[in-house]
Amino acid sequence: MYVMRPATAHDRTAYADLIRARAAWMLRTGKIGGADLLEDGRAEQIAAQAGNGHTPVWALLAPEGESIGFTSLYDQTPAWGWTDSERAEPALFLATTFTHPDHRAAKPGTLMAWWALAHAARAGKLWVRRGCGHPGLVRYYRDHQGFDLIHETERGGHPAYLLARKAEELNHLPVTTDSAGTFT
């Protein structure tokens, strides 16, 4: 069984290591963005969000206890790209997801996204929303995770794609939640 739990400051080293492993894999496989993640201190900058009290980072642990994914799950939809009426609907916003490339077969990104759907449903939210900047991710989120593309916009001079999926309890998921954030 996989476990999702709030990330803590104790997770920062594992998170930075995972980001660097992901970036190296992205470079080897010709994916966009890997070089940026390997810039000096970038992985540590992102990983510093874990347990900082401002960013709601969650960690996905494999059955053996290894951290194989991290994602941020916000209680509100961001203002950019969404209408006021959409932002008024109860939703969670999934952002900044990284998974370890050595665990691709387990589909940790999909496990985290589907966990977020169930987590949102249990919290009384109607939607899980997410954004990304690459058409390839849009296809993956749509075709493999069931999200719909809602808006195409621009953010910081770059394309941004905004997706959503109705929150729903997914009882078949091999993921439990440790909301206490117990460090294991």
Side-chain angles (χ1 to χ4, degrees), residues 4 58 92 114-126 167-171 173 175-179:
M4 283 291 288
W58 286 77
L92 296 177
W114 289 352
W115 169 85
L117 295 169
H119 185 71
R122 289 189 298 270
K125 307 290 186 178
L126 297 178
E168 63 179 303
E169 185 64 60
L170 299 170
N171 295 321
L173 279 180
V175 182
T176 62
T177 303
D178 177 359
S179 294

Side-chain angles (χ1 to χ4, degrees), residues 62-83:
E64 307 79 34
E66 177 185 0
S67 299
I68 64 169
F70 290 90
T71 195
S72 300
L73 190 61
Y74 294 89
D75 286 332
Q76 295 183 349
T77 301
W80 56 271
W82 298 94
T83 67

Side-chain angles (χ1 to χ4, degrees), residues 11-26:
D11 291 306
R12 290 177 183 166
T13 299
Y15 192 4
D17 290 346
L18 184 146
I19 292 167
R20 281 190 291 276
R22 183 67 177 191
W25 174 83
M26 291 169 74

Side-chain angles (χ1 to χ4, degrees), residues 23-159:
W25 174 83
M26 291 169 74
L27 284 174
R28 282 193 313 273
T29 59
K31 305 281 190 267
I32 297 170
D36 295 341
L37 292 171
L38 289 174
E39 289 179 2
D40 198 30
R42 182 73 176 129
E44 287 77 14
Q45 179 186 19
I46 296 167
Q49 295 175 345
N52 72 3
H54 304 290
T55 308
V57 178
W58 286 77
L60 175 66
L61 306 179
E64 307 79 34
E66 177 185 0
S67 299
I68 64 169
F70 290 90
T71 195
S72 300
L73 190 61
Y74 294 89
D75 286 332
Q76 295 183 349
T77 301
W80 56 271
W82 298 94
T83 67
D84 289 341
S85 62
E86 288 167 335
R87 290 185 56 239
E89 297 172 325
L92 296 177
F93 190 81
L94 195 58
T96 318
T97 299
F98 287 98
T99 60
H100 199 292
D102 291 349
H103 295 271
R104 286 187 322 279
K107 303 208 176 292
T110 297
L111 289 175
M112 288 189 291
W114 289 352
W115 169 85
L117 295 169
H119 185 71
R122 289 189 298 270
K125 307 290 186 178
L126 297 178
W127 298 97
V128 172
R129 296 185 172 125
R130 66 185 322 159
C132 67
H134 301 289
L137 284 175
V138 172
R139 286 188 297 277
Y140 184 78
Y141 295 153
R142 183 192 63 219
D143 298 347
H144 296 280
Q145 296 181 358
F147 284 80
D148 292 319
L149 178 62
I150 307 299
H151 300 290
E152 293 184 40
T153 188
E154 187 177 291
R155 184 159 190 243
H158 301 284

